Amino acid sequence: MASTAACEPIEHSLKLSGKKSFAGIPEATFVEDVDAYMKDRDGVESILRQLDEQHGKYKFMELNLLARKKKLKSQIPDIQKSLDMIQVLEAKRKTNEQIETQFLLSDLLYSRAIIEPTDKVCLWLGANVMLEYTLEDAKALLEKNHETAMKNLAQVHHDLDFLRDQMTTTEVNMARLYNWDVKRRQALNAK
């Protein structure tokens, strides 16, 4: 079964790759000096509206990444179970043993089956497509799919971290601009 600890070596190599975002998430720039930033701009309301819109886009991206993460986290155990079953089939083929099992016919209805030693297996590829593979080819395909899923999961984790940083930067910018505007208005009212 895959765990987050298994993703750590991949995540470490992702950080070393230097990519800020694998999903093309735009980077938020921190407003260092609000006075200089607002000098050539019209109104703070339009800037705050743009930042709020950008923050909304970041929230939308976060929802998409979280959905992708959930999908990958459900796929990885399924792939691992299939790999484990391939190993059982290979072991039983070597010893020429039958496998007695139960399979699901419908909800809560199982049937008993005896599986003869075999060197072929059928895999669901998606979109109602199933293909027959040799055990070796199936194992190679599943291992490749597992590796790809783990890499994708690590990229999603990396992008979520990057995205949260961008959201925080945008929120801080919004707060600083709002506070700057409040101080500016107070100064105008004092005159």
Side-chain angles (χ1 to χ4, degrees):
M1 183 114 21
S3 67
T4 52
C7 289
E8 287 176 9
I10 296 172
E11 283 182 17
H12 180 68
S13 67
L14 293 178
K15 289 176 185 167
L16 294 177
S17 72
K19 268 195 166 183
K20 291 184 179 183
S21 169
F22 291 92
I25 300 167
E27 187 172 3
T29 20
F30 179 70
V31 177
E32 197 72 42
D33 183 5
V34 179
D35 290 322
Y37 181 77
M38 291 304 295
K39 190 179 252 184
D40 298 330
R41 295 196 168 43
D42 290 334
V44 75
E45 291 85 17
S46 65
I47 303 295
L48 284 172
R49 212 174 307 112
Q50 289 172 354
L51 288 172
D52 189 47
E53 184 179 316
Q54 183 179 14
H55 189 267
K57 289 177 183 177
Y58 285 145
K59 290 298 263 180
F60 180 73
M61 288 179 212
E62 181 183 37
L63 287 174
N64 286 332
L65 284 172
L66 288 172
R68 187 166 179 222
K69 176 182 173 181
K70 184 178 178 181
K71 182 180 176 193
L72 286 167
K73 282 191 153 216
S74 71
Q75 280 180 344
I76 290 171
D78 290 343
I79 294 170
Q80 189 59 50
K81 285 178 191 174
S82 297
L83 276 168
D84 293 344
M85 193 63 217
I86 297 281
Q87 289 176 344
V88 169
L89 289 172
E90 285 176 332
K92 296 295 182 178
R93 183 184 68 184
K94 287 177 185 171
T95 60
N96 204 22
E97 284 182 59
Q98 296 177 338
I99 301 172
E100 187 173 327
T101 187
Q102 294 182 359
F103 64 94
L104 185 67
L105 288 174
S106 68
D107 292 342
L108 303 174
L109 181 61
Y110 289 86
S111 180
R112 219 161 45 147
I114 296 175
I115 302 171
E116 297 294 329
T118 182
D119 63 342
K120 303 244 187 245
V121 69
C122 294
L123 296 178
W124 283 107
L125 300 180
N128 291 329
V129 175
M130 179 185 272
L131 283 179
E132 183 177 77
Y133 289 92
T134 64
L135 292 178
E136 294 78 21
D137 290 344
K139 185 175 183 179
L141 176 69
L142 289 169
E143 286 172 344
K144 180 179 167 244
N145 288 352
H146 187 266
E147 182 182 325
T148 301
M150 293 297 287
K151 180 181 173 195
N152 289 342
L153 183 61
Q155 288 177 350
V156 167
H157 279 289
H158 179 83
D159 281 347
L160 278 169
D161 288 344
F162 178 75
L163 186 61
R164 287 186 186 112
D165 288 345
Q166 303 322 298
M167 290 169 62
T168 301
T169 301
T170 303
E171 291 165 358
V172 168
N173 284 341
M174 290 170 68
R176 293 183 78 217
L177 285 168
Y178 180 80
N179 291 340
W180 174 86
D181 188 46
V182 168
K183 286 181 185 176
R184 183 184 61 86
R185 288 180 191 207
Q186 286 174 346
L188 287 175
N189 288 338
K191 288 182 183 179

